[in-house]
Amino acid sequence: MAEDLGERTEQATPKRLRDAREEGNVAKSTDLSSALMLGAAAIALWYFFGPMLDRLGRAMERVLMEPGLRSVGEGTWQDSVEAVALASMVALAPIAIAIWIAAVVSNIMQVGWMVTPKAINPKFSKLNPIEGAKRIFGSRALVKAALDSLKVFLVVVVVAWTVHGMHERVLLLPLMNITAALFSVGGLMVELALRVTAVLLLLGVIDFAWQKHRHAKDMMMSRQQIKDEFKQSEGDPEVKQRRLQFARQIAQQRIASAVPKADVIVTNPEHLSVAIQWDADTMHAPVVVAMGADHLALRIRQIAMKHGIPILERKPIARALYKQVSVGQEIPPDMYSAVAEVLAFVYRLEGREAG
């Protein structure tokens, strides 16, 4: 019944998952990525906070002490601003690099190394207002909005709890010199960021598990889809069966015309049959004119018996010829002696010479 209705009850095939991955459709949690990026930024800030303040302080000191600030027309103001901007970029570079590394690591952890040009191709279907309304007001959008609201609430609770525990240190800031105050503020920021990161990491892991579950459900297929995919990748089974039957018919026709020309049939004894022809006047060496396994081997023996062609059981010779020689080829030199003995035996039975 489910098959008739086209219900998706089967797990996704590897091809469907591979095609979805090429289009960028994978299970991924942005919350987990954001948590890792925030944590990386907090750790980088804690580690590089001192050098950052030192570099920025020296840049500001040079700007404020610049004599040219009193004469704007000399262009020293622009040079000073550029110096401060460059110092700020250099100071913030470790944090930016840490965030970038965290983003790459997060992506590799969740989906592996993936380059998907199809994912950035423009899709005009996204401009459809009806589909856009479904994405905004659909059930998934409402669930996502509710979950996001819950995440914001939890983060606000953690921030409020952390700030409340810091109020004594905040009250001491006016009593500190500027350097000590800045370091204290930096420490408070890092502590707050790490606590928020811990909450976001927990939420991100839960979200990633949910995304994996939802993606697996979205990728499920109906039995008809699996059949259609199999037809596309492997070919229609009915067409393949007809081709196989046609190939067998051609092989049998060739055997029917070639076996009567043979001088002897070497067998193994039921599974293999090899038909050998030898004409001293026109051939340099005996030639395999037909061979087959299983049902074709049986067919070769049937035709041979009908035309009175000798059938000999020679397992090593039959196996070697079947493995090394193709139909229409001469036997290899290393088998001359063995095949000559077979032909000589046949000729003695028939009362003729081997030539």
Side-chain angles (χ1 to χ4, degrees), residues 295-314:
H295 70 281
L296 288 179
L298 176 61
R299 181 58 179 163
I300 290 173
R301 291 196 299 273
Q302 290 174 344
I303 297 174
M305 287 187 292
K306 180 179 179 181
H307 290 82
I309 300 172
I311 301 174
L312 299 181
E313 179 182 331
R314 297 292 188 272

Side-chain angles (χ1 to χ4, degrees), residues 11-85:
Q11 295 295 325
T13 61
K15 182 180 183 301
R16 178 172 172 83
L17 295 176
R18 184 170 60 253
D19 292 343
R21 181 180 177 85
E22 291 177 355
E23 295 177 358
N25 184 6
V26 292
K28 182 180 179 182
S29 171
T30 55
D31 292 338
L32 183 58
S33 299
S34 300
L36 292 174
M37 292 165 66
L38 178 60
I43 294 173
L45 179 63
W46 171 75
Y47 190 79
F48 294 102
F49 189 70
M52 287 170 54
L53 283 183
D54 181 64
R55 183 177 292 276
L56 290 174
R58 284 190 281 109
M60 291 299 299
E61 181 181 2
R62 192 179 75 173
V63 170
L64 296 176
M65 297 298 293
E66 179 64 50
L69 288 175
R70 296 186 292 271
S71 54
V72 179
E74 297 181 4
T76 54
W77 173 258
Q78 181 179 355
D79 296 338
S80 300
V81 171
E82 291 178 355
V84 173

Side-chain angles (χ1 to χ4, degrees), residues 13-301:
T13 61
K15 182 180 183 301
R16 178 172 172 83
L17 295 176
R18 184 170 60 253
D19 292 343
R21 181 180 177 85
E22 291 177 355
E23 295 177 358
N25 184 6
V26 292
K28 182 180 179 182
S29 171
T30 55
D31 292 338
L32 183 58
S33 299
S34 300
L36 292 174
M37 292 165 66
L38 178 60
I43 294 173
L45 179 63
W46 171 75
Y47 190 79
F48 294 102
F49 189 70
M52 287 170 54
L53 283 183
D54 181 64
R55 183 177 292 276
L56 290 174
R58 284 190 281 109
M60 291 299 299
E61 181 181 2
R62 192 179 75 173
V63 170
L64 296 176
M65 297 298 293
E66 179 64 50
L69 288 175
R70 296 186 292 271
S71 54
V72 179
E74 297 181 4
T76 54
W77 173 258
Q78 181 179 355
D79 296 338
S80 300
V81 171
E82 291 178 355
V84 173
L86 180 60
S88 301
M89 291 175 60
V90 174
L92 295 175
I95 297 179
I97 294 174
I99 293 175
W100 179 81
I101 293 176
V104 173
V105 170
S106 172
N107 186 77
I108 294 176
M109 285 173 54
Q110 296 185 68
V111 300
W113 181 258
M114 183 176 68
V115 180
T116 55
K118 291 183 180 180
I120 61 176
N121 290 338
K123 294 183 179 180
F124 294 101
S125 60
K126 294 184 178 180
L127 301 178
N128 188 333
I130 298 178
E131 295 298 327
K134 290 181 180 179
R135 287 194 296 268
I136 297 174
F137 301 105
S139 58
R140 285 191 177 183
L142 295 177
V143 173
K144 187 176 186 305
L147 292 176
D148 289 342
S149 300
L150 177 61
K151 295 171 189 175
V152 172
F153 174 75
L154 291 176
V155 170
V156 169
V157 169
V158 172
V159 171
W161 174 61
T162 303
V163 171
H164 180 268
M166 296 177 176
H167 73 281
E168 294 183 358
R169 284 182 284 176
V170 173
L171 294 176
L172 294 175
L173 291 177
L175 304 179
M176 301 178 183
N177 59 49
I178 183 65
T179 302
L182 288 174
F183 271 95
S184 180
V185 170
L188 295 176
M189 291 174 56
V190 171
E191 183 178 347
L192 177 61
L194 290 178
R195 291 189 178 184
V196 173
T197 298
V199 175
L200 292 180
L201 273 176
L202 176 61
L203 296 176
V205 171
I206 296 174
D207 181 61
F208 180 62
W210 164 250
Q211 294 294 339
K212 293 277 286 186
H213 170 74
R214 193 178 73 175
H215 182 263
K217 188 175 181 180
D218 291 342
M219 289 290 102
M220 291 184 70
M221 305 170 66
S222 66
R223 293 185 179 180
Q224 185 59 42
Q225 286 177 315
I226 294 178
K227 291 180 180 179
D228 293 341
E229 180 185 291
F230 177 79
K231 289 180 180 180
Q232 293 176 358
S233 59
E234 301 294 335
D236 192 329
E238 295 181 359
V239 175
K240 291 183 66 177
Q241 183 66 24
R242 288 197 296 269
R243 289 176 179 174
L244 183 59
Q245 291 177 353
F246 183 67
R248 287 177 178 174
Q249 290 176 358
I250 293 177
Q252 290 179 356
Q253 291 175 359
R254 291 176 178 174
I255 288 173
S257 61
V259 171
K261 303 175 184 178
D263 291 288
V264 64
I265 308 298
V266 182
T267 65
N268 181 28
E270 293 89 6
H271 299 295
L272 298 176
S273 293
V274 181
I276 302 173
Q277 182 185 9
W278 165 237
D279 187 344
D281 297 329
T282 61
M283 299 178 181
H284 297 288
V287 176
V288 174
V289 294
M291 69 168 59
D294 299 325
H295 70 281
L296 288 179
L298 176 61
R299 181 58 179 163
I300 290 173
R301 291 196 299 273

Side-chain angles (χ1 to χ4, degrees), residues 308-329:
I309 300 172
I311 301 174
L312 299 181
E313 179 182 331
R314 297 292 188 272
K315 295 181 180 180
I317 298 177
R319 284 196 294 261
L321 289 174
Y322 189 84
K323 185 179 298 184
Q324 301 178 24
V325 185
S326 299
V327 174
Q329 289 184 344

